[in-house]
Amino acid sequence: MSYFESVIALLAVAVLLLQATRRMQLPYPGILAATGCAVAALPSAPNIPIDPHTALALFIAPILIDSAYDFPLRAAWRLMVPLIVFAVGAVVLTTAVVVAIGSAGFGLPLVVAVTLGAIVSPPDAAATTAVLVNLPVARRVDALLKGESLFNDATTLLLFSGALAIQAHGGIDGATALRLGLAVPGGIAFGVGYGLLVSRVRPLADNSVGGTLLQFVHAFATWLIAERLHLSPVLATVASAMTIATHASVRDSPRMRVHSFAVWTTVVFLLNVLAFLLMGMQARSIVGAMSAPQLSRALGFAGAVVVAVIATRLALAFLYRVVAVWRCKHTGGPEPVSRSETFLIGWAGMRGLVTLATAFALPGNFPERNLVVLTAFAVVLATLVLQGGTLALLIRWLKLERHEDANRERDAAQLSLVEAALARLEEEEGDTAEEIRTIYREHRNRLNDRAHEAPLAHRRGLALAAVLAQRKRLDELRDADAIGPDQYLELQEDLDWRQLGVTADEDRRLNES
């Protein structure tokens, strides 16, 4: 089986498994990890090497762009202290624990142990989001878990890059220290400047395929240019994405946002599929090349690291809560999260794509590479299966799900949007303005009176039937050659938007059920 055939086979299985994971409320990366190992275990599965230099740009740059573009900066300011604790402190503490295990217990060189610690430190937001999308929890917990992954990726990759640079130079000297010191501020400055430049160029390609392609060119170009300039590509990518996002909320057209969201969601999922397939293939080749004593040592070390990364995060979560409680009592700080929420934060530490990509990026001549890579894969697989598989059950058991609160927040926000629209149209005159105001008043009445849920469902059904009748007539016009292909696509898109507006609430209800 060729690499292409393996990818197609895994994609087909992944599509089926994705539907199952949604219904069982399991994180899809865990299922992909198990499937990737199963596909790689087939006798006909190919052994495909991956270029370490390409791995980080290929897998990490799009993930950082996707996460940074959507992350609200104001939420980061509100959660600054816990974000620093978990995005920086947790990474450093986990690395230190892994260094202690690797150096003291298994005789690994210090640089190798630091590199491994950096690789296995960052939790993966995709695995947590896959559960929280159907089981909403308190907003501050949700924001912390999602925001943490963006900033801990930066911390992790800075540690990783620094360890590789020190190992490549055989130690740290003045030139290496200066380069590493300038990489952080230089990467941020370059990212902001490059983001401003891209913000100026993006409107020229708006509402076109070129606009979406430009997003991918920007994602990879930011990383590659920063790397060539010996700056931090991680911070450059994050800074550029956040800079573009601050200018995009008003300038981006709805068509561009909908199209980009669909494309990026697919690409991130595809990258996960490819990464877990490559993980299985590399793990198979590494295990096959090890002798029995080597394999026994690797399994013992991997098991110790898995226990360490899980226990370290749980310990840090509860230690931070102790500090937060003291701070709340003595200095009037924000109210700390509950013990149940603390346990959820500590347990939601599944590793994923970033850990895989950094493991792939290790040079072929890196000391103890096979042991490091195999340990990283073991951490990913164990945390996704153990923690990811029990996260939904944990949320229910601890009674942390807040569907009703989330629904109330959404309804209040919808009502606020309607009031904003009516306030804007209040002074407008004419029949057209009054017609639009009537539509918004009816919407406001429906939001204020949930007792009319059944009539609203009936109305939604009639609206959907009307749109489907229009679709049928449009197809008849095309078949009768009464309308050209361009006009057909234009009207079809208009009907698509109408149908999306009719079915959005119903799709949301199905996802929540």
Side-chain angles (χ1 to χ4, degrees):
M1 184 183 292
S2 67
Y3 178 60
F4 179 71
E5 291 170 338
S6 300
V7 170
I8 296 301
L10 185 57
L11 281 176
V13 174
V15 171
L16 297 175
L17 292 175
L18 185 60
Q19 310 312 313
T21 55
R22 282 177 175 173
R23 284 163 177 77
M24 294 185 294
Q25 295 178 350
L26 295 174
Y28 74 82
I31 303 297
L32 288 181
T35 306
C37 291
V39 172
L42 297 175
S44 56
N47 184 16
I48 307 224
I50 183 169
D51 178 22
H53 181 73
T54 306
L56 286 181
L58 174 63
F59 290 107
I60 301 299
I63 302 300
L64 289 178
I65 289 286
D66 186 49
S67 300
Y69 192 85
D70 295 332
F71 188 75
L73 283 177
R74 291 189 178 181
W77 284 113
R78 289 195 302 270
L79 296 170
M80 180 60 67
V81 174
L83 278 176
I84 291 175
V85 170
F86 286 95
V88 179
V91 169
V92 174
L93 181 60
T94 303
T95 301
V97 171
V98 173
V99 167
I101 294 173
S103 297
F106 290 82
L108 293 182
L110 181 61
V111 173
V112 174
V114 171
T115 303
L116 175 60
I119 289 174
V120 300
S121 293
D124 179 28
T128 304
T129 303
V131 175
L132 297 185
V133 71
N134 291 315
L135 287 172
V137 296
R139 212 167 346 118
R140 58 179 176 174
V141 176
D142 183 85
L144 173 61
L145 292 175
K146 293 177 180 177
E148 170 202 3
S149 66
L150 173 62
F151 296 103
N152 68 15
D153 289 350
T155 307
T156 290
L157 292 167
L158 285 173
L159 272 176
F160 178 79
S161 301
L164 285 187
I166 293 172
Q167 193 276 330
H169 288 84
I172 185 166
D173 52 21
T176 304
L178 179 62
R179 198 177 91 178
L180 293 175
L182 293 177
V184 173
I188 296 174
F190 170 73
V192 172
Y194 189 75
L196 291 173
L197 175 63
V198 173
S199 297
R200 300 272 185 172
V201 175
R202 289 177 76 238
L204 302 178
D206 202 14
N207 290 333
S208 68
V209 175
T212 305
L213 291 176
L214 179 62
Q215 295 174 7
F216 286 96
V217 171
H218 149 65
F220 292 116
T222 308
W223 185 285
L224 296 174
I225 295 174
E227 201 172 47
R228 293 290 184 185
L229 296 175
H230 302 293
L231 305 175
S232 170
V234 183
L235 295 178
T237 303
V238 172
S240 66
M242 288 186 166
T243 301
I244 293 172
T246 57
H247 295 81
S249 58
V250 177
R251 295 182 184 178
D252 278 1
S253 67
R255 183 199 303 265
M256 197 70 197
R257 274 196 296 270
V258 170
H259 186 257
S260 297
F261 180 81
V263 171
W264 278 88
T265 301
T266 304
V267 167
V268 170
F269 179 70
L270 178 60
L271 288 174
N272 274 276
V273 172
L274 295 177
F276 286 113
L277 175 60
L278 289 170
M279 178 194 81
M281 291 176 177
Q282 285 212 7
R284 185 189 64 174
S285 62
I286 290 173
V287 170
M290 283 184 170
S291 64
Q294 289 175 329
L295 183 59
S296 177
R297 173 176 177 259
L299 292 178
F301 180 60
V305 171
V306 168
V307 173
V309 297
I310 294 175
T312 300
R313 181 177 176 86
L314 282 169
L316 179 65
F318 280 97
L319 178 61
Y320 173 69
R321 185 179 183 278
V322 171
V323 175
V325 169
W326 181 89
R327 185 172 162 220
C328 179
K329 289 181 178 179
H330 293 83
T331 64
E335 183 181 353
V337 297
S338 65
R339 289 187 179 88
S340 297
E341 290 172 331
T342 301
F343 189 81
L344 173 64
I345 292 171
W347 192 250
M350 296 81 73
R351 272 58 175 177
L353 188 57
V354 174
T355 296
L356 294 181
T358 47
F360 293 149
L362 285 174
N365 59 353
F366 189 80
E368 298 277 11
R369 185 183 189 278
N370 286 348
L371 177 63
V372 171
V373 172
L374 193 61
T375 302
F377 293 167
V379 170
V380 170
L381 192 59
T383 55
L384 285 177
V385 173
L386 177 61
Q387 295 178 295
T390 58
L391 196 61
L393 295 174
L394 181 68
I395 292 173
R396 291 194 183 96
W397 181 59
L398 296 175
K399 298 180 180 179
L400 295 176
E401 57 181 314
R402 51 185 295 276
H403 276 300
E404 293 184 1
D405 291 342
N407 291 339
R408 280 195 295 268
E409 287 177 5
R410 186 195 59 252
D411 293 343
Q414 285 181 330
L415 185 60
S416 179
L417 295 179
V418 171
E419 296 291 354
L422 288 172
R424 170 62 182 82
L425 298 171
E426 185 176 1
E427 303 298 329
E428 299 292 337
E429 299 180 354
D431 294 338
T432 301
E434 182 60 29
E435 180 181 350
I436 298 175
R437 281 195 294 265
T438 300
I439 293 173
Y440 278 108
R441 289 184 187 122
E442 291 179 357
H443 190 190
R444 179 177 60 186
N445 293 337
R446 291 196 299 271
L447 290 172
N448 284 326
D449 189 3
R450 287 299 177 183
H452 291 110
E453 197 67 43
L456 178 59
H458 179 63
R459 177 177 181 148
R460 187 182 295 118
L462 292 177
L464 180 59
V467 173
L468 294 178
Q470 289 179 298
R471 286 189 181 280
K472 183 178 179 181
R473 177 59 60 85
L474 182 60
D475 289 340
E476 292 173 352
L477 292 173
R478 180 193 58 181
D479 295 340
D481 202 25
I483 187 173
D486 292 337
Q487 291 74 29
Y488 172 83
L489 292 175
E490 182 180 348
L491 292 175
Q492 184 185 56
E493 183 183 24
D494 181 60
L495 291 178
D496 287 340
W497 286 109
R498 293 187 190 181
Q499 185 171 346
L500 283 172
V502 171
T503 59
D505 286 342
E506 191 65 28
D507 289 342
R508 173 181 53 78
R509 292 170 186 276
L510 290 174
N511 287 332
E512 290 176 353
S513 62

